[in-house]
Amino acid sequence: MHRLLLMLLAAAVLAGCRSEEVPERGVVETPAGAPAPPWAKPLDAAAARIDDDMPGDFGVYVRRLGDEAGTLDRGGDRRWYLSSTIKVPVAIAVLERVDAGELALDQELVLAETDYVDGAGDLLMQDPGTRYSIATLLQKSLQDSDSTATDMLIRLLGEDALNDRIVAWVGDGFGPVTTILQVRYDAYGALHPGVADLSNMDLVRLREAESRDARLVRLAGALGVAREELDADSLEDVFDRYYETGKNAATLEAYATMLEKLVTGELLSAESTQRLLGHMRAITTGERRIQAGLPAGADFAQKTGTQIDRACNVGILDPDRDAGNTTVVVACAEGFGEDIGHAESAFQALGRALAEAGLAT
C-alpha cells in the first residue's frame, strides 16, 4: 500500500509539471497547458543524432518565443565552458552603463601593454598608448572576437561588477566570468607557482609555439625549469583541469535566458539592443558553424567561442521579427579532440536541423 501511494503521488507531481520528456535525453518545456510545439520532437531527434555522430558531447538549448512557444533542453543542469561567448554579457554590461549615462560610446580607453592577450583580432599588433573609443572596442570584441578589446572593457567594468550584473539578469546559472588573460593565468598557474610572476607578454608568446606540446616546452623555458617539472602530460590536460573550476561557464538555459531578455528589450534600450544585435550579425568567426547550415539570407545574430577541446555558438534567429518568429539558440561542443572540424560539422548540422524544423527561413 505504501508503495502504491508513493507511485500515485509521483504521478500527480509529474502531471502538474510543464516538462515533457522526448526521446534521448531532451526535455521540452511549454507554457502551462500548452502542448509540445511541433518543432520540438524532430529537432530533438536531429540533435541526438548530431551528438551521437560527434566525438565528445554536444549540448543544445533552443527557446522559441511567441507562437509555438517552448524550449528544448539538451544541455541539462550542468555548466558548459563558454570561451569567447562571454563577450556578449560583457557588451551588455557596458551598454547598460551607457544607457544609464555612466559611460559614453565616444569615451576613449588607452591600450596598455598589460592589456595584450593572445587570440583573434588586431589590437595585439597595435602600439601601447593607442586610444580606442568604447564603441570601437565593442565592435572589435564582438565582430572580430578581439580578446584584448574584451579585456579592456572588463577592466573598465571591473570583474566583480560584471559578475554582479550577470547574477541580476539570470540568477546563479553562470560561474565567475574573468578576463581572457586571467583564463591563461588560472590554467597555466596550476602547473607551477612561478606562472604568477610571468608577464602577460610571456603568456602571449606561448601561442607562437608550433604545437600544443611545444607550448608547454616554451612555458617551461619561460619559467626556467625543465618540462618535467610542469604538472601536466599535455595541454589538453591543462585545460581540462581548468574547465573543472567552473569559471567562464554557464548552463545553456541561463545563457538562453540572457539572450531572451536582450531581444525582448528587458536589458537595454532599443538603440543599444540594436547596436549589439548589429555587431552579432556582422561577426567574422561564424561562417563555418550554425550559419553554414541555415538557409541563405537567414537573419542570425550570433557569437562564437573556441578554446582547447571546447567550442560554442550562440545566437538569436530573426531577432527583429515579431516574437512569434524569434528563436534563441545556444549550443556547445566538448571532447572533440584537436580537430575543430568535428565541432564545426555538428554546428552546421544543427543549422540544417533548425531550418528543417521550421525555426529558420
Side-chain angles (χ1 to χ4, degrees):
M1 175 66 78
H2 180 65
R3 183 177 181 184
L4 176 60
L5 287 173
L6 288 176
M7 292 174 64
L8 290 172
L9 178 60
V13 171
L14 288 173
C17 289
R18 297 182 297 110
S19 299
E20 178 181 336
E21 298 255 354
V22 290
E24 308 255 11
R25 184 163 65 92
V27 175
V28 171
E29 292 188 354
T30 61
W39 54 265
K41 190 170 183 177
L43 183 59
D44 179 73
R49 290 191 296 271
I50 296 167
D51 191 14
D52 288 343
D53 291 343
M54 191 200 82
D57 292 310
F58 191 63
V60 176
Y61 191 100
V62 176
R63 181 176 294 171
R64 176 78 166 185
L65 308 182
D67 297 337
E68 298 184 353
T71 64
L72 169 63
D73 184 359
R74 295 187 59 85
D77 295 331
R78 53 157 296 190
R79 290 175 177 171
W80 296 71
Y81 186 73
L82 298 173
S83 53
S84 283
T85 64
I86 67 147
K87 293 168 183 176
V88 174
V90 171
I92 294 172
V94 170
L95 288 169
E96 191 178 49
R97 291 186 60 184
V98 170
D99 287 343
E102 298 170 2
L103 296 174
L105 289 170
D106 60 0
Q107 179 179 335
E108 292 184 332
L109 303 182
V110 178
L111 175 65
E113 185 171 316
T114 52
D115 289 320
Y116 293 133
V117 59
D118 62 274
D122 66 355
L123 258 63
L124 185 57
M125 297 177 284
Q126 307 307 314
D127 293 332
T130 306
R131 304 179 72 88
Y132 293 95
S133 69
I134 288 175
T136 296
L137 293 173
L138 285 169
Q139 177 182 351
K140 288 180 175 294
S141 174
L142 291 167
Q143 292 188 24
D144 302 335
S145 207
D146 194 305
S147 294
T148 299
T150 304
D151 277 7
M152 291 176 71
L153 293 172
I154 295 176
R155 171 164 59 84
L156 174 67
L157 293 168
E159 282 188 17
D160 289 344
L162 170 61
N163 283 285
D164 287 345
R165 295 312 303 148
I166 294 172
V167 170
W169 305 331
V170 299
D172 62 358
F174 278 67
V177 172
T178 73
T179 63
I180 310 297
L181 180 60
Q182 190 60 47
V183 172
R184 280 47 169 168
Y185 275 110
D186 288 344
Y188 294 122
L191 306 184
H192 193 281
V195 169
D197 298 323
L198 296 179
S199 72
N200 62 308
M201 293 308 299
D202 290 327
L203 299 183
V204 167
R205 295 185 189 101
L206 298 182
R207 289 296 291 268
E208 299 171 2
E210 296 180 356
S211 68
R212 292 181 176 184
D213 288 341
R215 201 181 303 182
L216 293 181
V217 172
R218 186 179 286 251
L219 175 62
L223 292 167
V225 301
R227 165 65 181 87
E228 292 72 22
E229 291 189 41
L230 300 185
D231 183 22
D233 294 330
S234 66
L235 194 63
E236 292 82 357
D237 183 33
V238 173
F239 278 88
D240 282 344
R241 216 178 302 174
Y242 172 74
Y243 300 140
E244 291 176 359
T245 68
K247 295 179 179 178
N248 297 294
T251 66
L252 303 189
E253 180 180 12
Y255 203 105
T257 297
M258 181 186 70
L259 291 183
E260 179 185 359
K261 288 186 174 184
L262 170 67
V263 76
T264 57
E266 295 182 53
L267 300 182
L268 299 173
S269 68
E271 181 180 358
S272 290
T273 298
Q274 286 305 311
R275 178 180 294 274
L276 180 48
L277 292 174
H279 289 321
M280 292 174 69
R281 286 185 173 104
I283 74 164
T284 59
T285 58
E287 295 179 353
R288 297 180 60 84
R289 299 199 181 177
I290 292 174
Q291 184 78 57
L294 297 175
D299 185 7
F300 187 41
Q302 61 172 317
K303 185 71 189 80
T304 63
T306 309
Q307 198 161 278
I308 302 293
D309 213 18
R310 296 291 188 275
C312 290
N313 196 177
V314 305
I316 306 164
L317 284 161
D318 299 314
D320 282 346
R321 296 189 184 180
D322 62 89
N325 290 309
T326 299
T327 304
V328 172
V329 182
V330 182
C332 290
E334 65 181 31
F336 48 81
E338 292 193 36
D339 187 357
I340 187 63
H342 292 306
E344 290 175 339
S345 294
F347 289 123
Q348 291 169 28
L350 177 60
R352 293 190 293 270
L354 289 165
E356 291 167 2
L359 298 178
T361 58

